[in-house]
Amino acid sequence: MMSCDFLQLAVPGVRGMSPYQPGKPIEELAREQGLKVEDIVKLASNENPLGPPPSALKAMAESLAELARYPDGSSYQLKQALAEKLKVAPEQLTLGNGSNDVLVLLAESFLDTSSSAVFSQYAFVVYPLAVKAVGAESIVVPALNYGHDLDAMAAAIQANTRIVFLANPNNPTGTSFSEQDLLCFLGKVPEEVIVVLDEAYFEYGVGGDLPDGIDLLDRYPNLVVTRTFSKAYGLAGARVGYSISNPEIADVLNRLRQPFNLNLPAQFGAVAALKDEAYLQQSIEINQQGMAFLEQGFAGLGLHWIPSSGNFITVDLKRDAMPVYEGLLSKGIIVRPVANYGMPEHLRISIGLPEENRRCLEALSQVLGQSS
């Protein structure tokens, strides 16, 4: 029998990659620990604890009778709804199977082995994965207080740089930067360098000094804003994301975008969720309340955390976080270790429902007491 090393047959960028590691599924922990599914609290993947909007579920159910047919490849109804909501032209939109899909499209469209991309230390793991897959160079800029050092990132741009990835708020740290900081940065970026502003958690930061990237698109043709329905709109399982850009960039992305990359129920659910202002407001309020509760609990435990503008909070344990993570798992609490981001003493904890937050703090107190 012939022996072949298929890894060596893969293109160089792929050979150097490791698979993305998602948060531990509830069912997997139930099997491992012999726990009941209903007794497990998952605060690992920054999902909306309210569950999907009932309005979206109703719309998705109504679409099921048409599942034998391909969905609208242009997602016309969703594009029209987004254009109206965001006050942009439909031609500025590119839809994706989650915003990850659009981020990968950007890398595949504008990067190759002769180019580079700039992003921050502690940046979303999909940026380096997308860059490495196409064989481009990654220029990683050291973080400033766990967030983006925008001055250093501007200085790091090289002659062959084609993309800069920014996340505001950033995952996994929750840090954010102001509109003035962003404007200063954009003024330093050459026009041929695309700035990707990842606003996956945008809705949770409204009310502070978080800039709205869409407001800047007319002034900066090289700016691309990405957003998602996976967080505040509660549709992580449906996988709906999108970008807003100038029409020329959108045209490039849509040339590469896979046909029917947005399934029929997802399109129906996203349209309904976008119109459900009451659900969105409830999501924001429960996140603010849960954030304050966890911060108060961390203070009571003598822990430090990174102030967050998202729907999660990253806490510094001042010790190896893995034993604490595993201790929480044994109590049915799933959070997210972030050692893969170079933060081995931190855990990222998503904001849950009040009872879920309370259980998390109680379990964390017990585990820390046992390991001290």
Side-chain angles (χ1 to χ4, degrees):
M1 186 174 180
M2 295 182 63
S3 177
C4 179
D5 188 343
F6 289 101
L7 179 60
Q8 293 305 311
L9 294 181
V11 297
V14 174
R15 290 203 299 269
M17 296 171 63
S18 298
Y20 176 82
Q21 296 296 322
K24 181 179 286 290
I26 291 175
E27 293 77 8
E28 181 178 319
L29 180 62
R31 292 193 300 269
E32 292 175 351
Q33 300 288 341
L35 300 171
K36 296 180 180 179
V37 167
E38 58 268 24
D39 292 335
I40 294 174
V41 172
K42 185 185 179 188
L43 302 175
S45 300
N46 304 342
E47 298 149 336
N48 192 320
L50 292 175
S55 57
L57 291 179
K58 181 175 182 294
M60 295 170 83
E62 292 172 352
S63 76
L64 297 183
E66 298 297 319
L67 280 188
R69 301 189 183 278
Y70 287 103
D72 176 0
S74 67
S75 302
Y76 175 84
Q77 295 295 340
L78 179 53
K79 277 192 172 182
Q80 292 300 313
L82 280 167
E84 181 179 352
K85 173 85 171 182
L86 304 175
K87 296 179 174 54
V88 299
E91 295 76 23
Q92 294 179 262
L93 296 165
T94 304
L95 301 181
N97 185 36
S99 57
N100 280 20
D101 189 19
V102 181
L103 294 170
V104 171
L105 278 176
L106 284 157
E108 291 177 338
S109 297
F110 294 102
L111 297 175
D112 60 20
T113 55
S114 67
S115 56
S116 66
V118 174
F119 50 87
S120 178
Q121 180 188 20
Y122 311 132
F124 185 34
V125 70
V126 167
Y127 308 156
L129 287 177
V131 173
K132 186 174 289 188
V134 296
E137 177 189 0
S138 292
I139 300 175
V140 185
V141 178
L144 178 64
N145 298 323
Y146 293 104
H148 292 67
D149 186 339
L150 293 178
D151 289 337
M153 293 183 74
I157 294 173
Q158 305 297 312
N160 71 342
T161 300
R162 292 295 170 263
I163 294 181
V164 178
F165 289 101
L166 306 176
N168 204 37
N170 183 57
N171 174 31
T173 61
T175 54
S176 60
F177 46 80
S178 69
E179 180 171 347
Q180 185 56 45
D181 291 335
L182 178 58
L183 288 172
C184 183
F185 172 80
L186 290 171
K188 300 175 183 178
V189 178
E191 63 180 4
E192 70 274 10
V193 176
I194 293 173
V195 177
V196 179
L197 182 61
D198 183 351
E199 294 186 338
Y201 300 91
F202 171 77
E203 291 83 4
Y204 290 111
V206 171
D209 64 350
L210 199 70
D212 184 338
I214 296 174
D215 292 341
L216 306 177
L217 289 173
D218 288 343
R219 295 168 58 184
Y220 299 96
N222 59 333
L223 179 63
V224 178
V225 177
T226 64
R227 292 187 183 174
T228 183
F229 283 83
S230 295
K231 310 304 179 185
Y233 286 102
L235 294 179
R239 310 305 301 129
V240 185
Y242 59 98
S243 68
I244 317 99
S245 65
N246 80 60
E248 291 186 18
I249 292 179
D251 174 63
V252 171
L253 298 178
N254 281 306
R255 295 178 186 211
L256 186 62
R257 180 181 63 85
Q258 293 296 305
F260 314 118
N261 65 333
L262 215 56
N263 68 67
L264 184 66
Q267 292 183 32
F268 274 67
V271 170
L274 195 66
K275 298 176 180 178
D276 198 335
E277 292 289 346
Y279 173 87
L280 178 61
Q281 189 57 41
Q282 185 184 9
S283 299
I284 294 170
E285 290 174 358
I286 201 165
N287 186 70
Q288 292 172 338
Q289 294 165 5
M291 183 78 72
F293 180 80
L294 287 181
E295 288 179 344
Q296 184 179 23
F298 294 152
L301 293 172
L303 298 174
H304 297 278
W305 63 91
I306 304 170
S308 174
S309 298
N311 68 336
F312 58 89
I313 187 167
T314 300
V315 61
D316 186 355
L317 302 177
K318 301 296 184 185
R319 67 183 80 181
D320 182 5
M322 284 306 294
V324 178
Y325 166 71
E326 292 165 356
L328 290 173
L329 289 180
S330 70
K331 297 181 180 297
I333 309 295
I334 309 175
V335 297
R336 190 66 178 265
V338 284
N340 60 317
Y341 284 95
M343 303 173 68
E345 297 187 343
H346 290 76
L347 290 176
R348 192 192 69 190
I349 302 176
S350 304
I351 308 301
L353 297 173
E355 176 62 16
E356 294 173 327
N357 298 330
R358 185 191 62 78
R359 280 193 56 192
C360 178
L361 280 179
E362 287 181 354
L364 182 60
S365 178
Q366 293 169 6
V367 172
L368 290 174
Q370 294 167 0
S371 61
S372 62

